[in-house]
Amino acid sequence: MKQFLHSYRLFLIVAALCTLSAFWLLGVRIGVEQTQRQVDVVVSYEDVCALSDASGIPVQDWLTQLADAGARELLVTPAELSDPDIVRAAQDAGLGTAQAGGLAQGGTYFFAARYDTLAAAGQTDTEPLAQAQVLDALRESGSTLVLIEDRNQTGCVLPDGYSLDGYTGSMVKGFWLNQTFRARYQTLGYSGAEEIVNMLYRAVVDRGMTVLWLTPLTDAAGETVAQPAVYTQLLQDLAQRIAPAGYQYGAITGIPAKTVSPVLLMLCGIGVFAAAIVLLGVFVSLRARWLRVLLFALGCAESVGGALLAPALQSTALALLAAIVFPCLAVAVLAAMLRESVQTRPGIGRYIGMTALGTGCCYIGAILSGSEYLLVLRLFRGVKLSQLAVYAVAMVLLAMALLHTRGCSVRTDLETLRQENSRHWRRKLLCLLVILAAVGTVYILRTGDGMLSVSVSEQRARNWLERVLLFRPRTKEFLIAYPAIAAAYCCAAHRSRLTAWLFGVFGAIGFASVANTFCHIRAHFLVSLLRTGIGLVLGLVLGAIVLLILRACWPIPSGSTQTKE
């Protein structure tokens, strides 16, 4: 492996130097994200009236208690905003006013007072206002537009026919407690609104929402929960939950329209293509210097042309390429270590692999740092494709390193494996295929909005991890991938090549997961970084435990030689 890295040292140096442009973009992005630490809790006048009717408690008392608990603004329609009694009631309670629909007059603005009928009604209950008229009023008044997250958490809800392309006004992300979410009162075995607090916490910390639109909760029977103490306790609990993560209730700051500099995007592209050439050299011999120079020149030309002519498309393509190349480089390092070393403790190669993976995460976070991604106006669509590509490449790389003998045909390799596993080899092969099929099926069903839902016990375990660690690491990383890598080292030490290959493939799940954490651009970069770091620490601890157990139960034969990489 050292010889290979030395032969491609110039490309590695280029990839490392180009990360300086990525760091610059990340610095700008982190600066913007650090302004999103204030959370604005909004309640609509319509909902407060509904709570008042259900409880018999005056509207003014509801407004006062909600304001005391942390609510900051009362959402009103243009007709309600023109009513002096409603405005006075909000002022007496210490609430500001946010506008829902109509032409913006300054402050916080929502497209509608109800987002379950927004697509059908537009900004009013009759005829929708023209897009140009609404956006011009927003821009001229200096209002902050709140973009409400859609049900699938894959974008924002806009009125029919609306587009924010070219809009340069201030915007923030908001979370609306819709009918499904508000019905999670006293669910998962909780006695109150704990699960709703958990959802709001994830909206703020995991997805960067700075506006929370609180709506009336409903119980299992579908009845409105109309006790003020429930809502005040909910807001107080949420304030306590988000405070350790650096968030608090307060006035929001809008995210300005910002695009990635073409020059910096160009440099990032050159760095990613340099890393791609190194990965290509793992599969295909690129001994001819002219061929490497030609490939690098083509990569540079594409980076320049794409950044200048089609920057939006270039950002998506480069992020996808980085999400595939750098995890695959980490897998290549792992495969080389398993092949070249029979030691059970990690060598320097593991750090090289994690460095490559970390570099890729920086590139992805920098390339997708435009405001259209931060506001989820655009979504990176290559998450699943990059995951499947990494898994496929990992199977091939690990097979080349562990199951293939240089100079032998595939048929000869299979015959050698059969002889090594001659005892019950059919059962072993069947078990291997069943395990791979089971893991793949569960992964597909659990990815995104898959068909396989999370159990009550698992969801409560996730909630517990969030409360203890603040940023919950991905289960597939610390509980599956990193311990599997430790098991792969142990199997390699015992020259159990097929088992080492299987555990190595499971370890590749973690590399793909880490890269894809940064592809979910809705989360702040530092949050993704902390989540990845926590997962790595937990995974190393569990991996060390796995190694200790395996070495105790499965000692290395005394005749095995130990090599140091």
Side-chain angles (χ1 to χ4, degrees):
M1 185 178 69
K2 290 181 180 179
Q3 183 179 359
F4 174 83
L5 294 176
H6 184 266
S7 64
Y8 285 88
R9 62 188 181 281
L10 293 180
F11 295 101
L12 294 173
I13 292 173
V14 169
L17 289 177
C18 287
T19 55
L20 297 176
S21 61
F23 290 151
W24 183 277
L25 290 172
L26 286 177
V28 175
R29 173 184 169 179
I30 292 172
V32 172
E33 292 175 341
Q34 288 300 102
T35 65
Q36 306 296 298
R37 293 287 180 172
Q38 303 284 94
V39 179
D40 186 8
V41 179
V42 176
V43 291
S44 73
Y45 183 74
E46 177 186 356
D47 288 337
V48 174
C49 290
L51 289 171
S52 177
D53 294 339
S55 63
I57 300 174
V59 170
Q60 188 63 54
D61 291 347
W62 270 101
L63 292 176
T64 301
Q65 293 189 57
L66 289 172
D68 292 342
R72 295 193 67 259
E73 291 190 291
L74 181 66
L75 184 62
V76 293
T77 63
E80 294 166 345
L81 186 60
S82 63
D83 188 333
D85 292 335
I86 296 177
V87 175
R88 189 180 306 110
Q91 293 174 347
D92 292 343
L95 293 171
T97 54
Q99 186 178 341
L103 297 179
Q105 301 177 26
T108 308
Y109 182 86
F110 294 73
F111 276 128
R114 290 181 61 85
Y115 271 71
D116 51 354
T117 58
L118 174 65
Q123 290 75 40
T124 67
D125 292 333
T126 54
E127 291 296 328
L129 298 172
Q131 172 179 319
Q133 188 179 7
V134 173
L135 297 185
D136 287 344
L138 277 168
R139 191 181 296 106
E140 293 170 1
S141 64
S143 300
T144 299
L145 174 60
V146 179
L147 302 174
I148 296 297
E149 182 184 55
D150 64 20
R151 289 177 177 269
N152 297 324
Q153 302 176 2
T154 57
C156 58
V157 183
L158 297 177
D160 279 349
Y162 269 50
S163 171
L164 294 177
D165 291 342
Y167 178 69
T168 57
S170 177
M171 294 176 280
V172 294
K173 294 186 289 185
F175 179 77
W176 179 54
L177 204 62
N178 61 35
Q179 293 91 333
T180 302
F181 296 150
R182 71 184 70 160
R184 294 185 182 178
Y185 178 72
Q186 293 182 336
T187 57
L188 299 182
Y190 295 119
S191 60
E194 290 89 343
E195 181 56 17
I196 295 176
V197 172
N198 293 330
M199 286 191 302
L200 295 176
Y201 173 84
R202 286 190 285 269
V204 173
V205 176
D206 286 358
R207 304 198 298 280
M209 306 292 168
T210 54
V211 175
L212 301 178
W213 184 347
L214 188 63
T215 57
L217 310 182
T218 56
D219 57 21
E223 300 294 330
T224 299
V225 179
Q227 294 80 36
V230 172
Y231 297 87
T232 56
Q233 187 65 45
L234 183 156
L235 292 176
Q236 291 168 1
D237 290 346
L238 178 62
Q240 294 176 358
R241 285 285 305 276
I242 64 177
Y247 297 86
Q248 62 182 358
Y249 296 150
I252 57 175
T253 301
I255 296 178
K258 179 183 71 71
T259 58
V260 176
S261 166
V263 175
L264 296 178
L265 182 61
M266 188 187 309
L267 293 174
C268 287
I270 293 174
V272 173
F273 274 108
I277 293 174
V278 176
L279 179 62
L280 182 62
V282 176
F283 292 94
V284 182
S285 177
L286 299 176
R287 294 182 180 178
R289 182 171 298 180
W290 67 267
L291 182 57
R292 299 184 188 183
V293 172
L294 176 62
L295 291 174
F296 184 65
L298 291 175
C300 292
E302 196 284 333
S303 299
V304 174
L308 296 177
L309 301 178
L313 180 60
Q314 179 73 356
S315 295
T316 301
L318 280 182
L320 176 61
L321 184 61
I324 295 174
V325 168
F326 289 97
C328 288
L329 285 175
V331 173
V333 173
L334 173 64
M337 292 180 64
L338 293 176
R339 180 188 63 219
E340 297 175 1
S341 175
V342 295
Q343 60 178 351
T344 57
R345 62 184 185 277
I348 191 174
R350 166 171 288 188
Y351 303 104
I352 296 176
M354 295 307 297
T355 300
L357 191 58
T359 303
C361 294
C362 291
Y363 272 117
I364 295 168
I367 293 168
L368 302 178
S369 63
S371 58
E372 70 273 16
Y373 285 106
L374 300 182
L375 290 164
V376 202
L377 291 171
R378 292 190 63 192
L379 191 69
F380 178 67
R381 301 286 182 180
V383 173
K384 289 188 177 181
L385 176 60
S386 62
Q387 286 180 323
L388 294 175
V390 172
Y391 298 158
V393 172
M395 289 183 183
V396 175
L397 282 174
L398 290 166
M400 290 171 57
L402 297 173
L403 307 182
H404 173 65
T405 302
R406 182 171 299 179
C408 295
S409 64
V410 175
R411 184 173 182 177
T412 303
D413 289 332
L414 291 175
E415 180 63 24
T416 302
L417 287 174
R418 191 189 70 79
Q419 293 175 359
E420 292 178 357
N421 299 273
S422 58
R423 186 177 181 182
H424 307 301
W425 71 272
R426 288 188 176 87
R427 295 180 184 178
K428 293 180 180 179
L429 181 60
L430 179 61
C431 290
L432 176 65
L433 295 176
V434 168
I435 292 173
L436 286 175
V439 171
T441 301
V442 171
Y443 164 73
I444 293 173
L445 294 179
R446 289 288 298 272
T447 299
D449 300 313
M451 296 179 289
L452 191 61
S453 60
V454 178
S455 65
V456 172
S457 58
E458 182 180 353
Q459 186 59 59
R460 292 201 59 152
R462 291 182 174 190
N463 294 339
W464 179 81
L465 284 173
E466 282 179 349
R467 287 193 296 271
V468 173
L469 302 175
L470 295 182
F471 310 104
R472 180 181 63 85
R474 288 188 165 187
T475 306
K476 66 182 74 172
E477 294 174 19
F478 79 91
L479 205 56
I480 298 177
Y482 299 134
I485 291 175
Y489 278 113
C490 188
C491 294
H494 287 80
R495 304 188 184 279
S496 181
R497 299 190 297 160
L498 194 59
T499 312
W501 175 83
L502 175 63
F503 282 117
V505 171
F506 290 163
I509 293 176
F511 298 146
S513 176
V514 168
N516 287 315
T517 294
F518 293 84
C519 291
H520 292 292
I521 205 67
R522 61 192 182 186
H524 291 178
F525 182 81
L526 293 181
V527 171
S528 298
L529 195 63
L530 288 170
R531 173 177 292 140
T532 301
I534 292 172
L536 179 60
V537 172
L538 292 178
L540 290 177
V541 172
L542 292 177
I545 294 174
V546 168
L547 275 179
L548 291 175
I549 294 174
L550 289 177
R551 293 184 68 177
C553 301
W554 194 17
I556 299 177
S558 57
S560 297
T561 59
Q562 297 283 324
T563 62
K564 181 67 177 176
E565 188 179 4

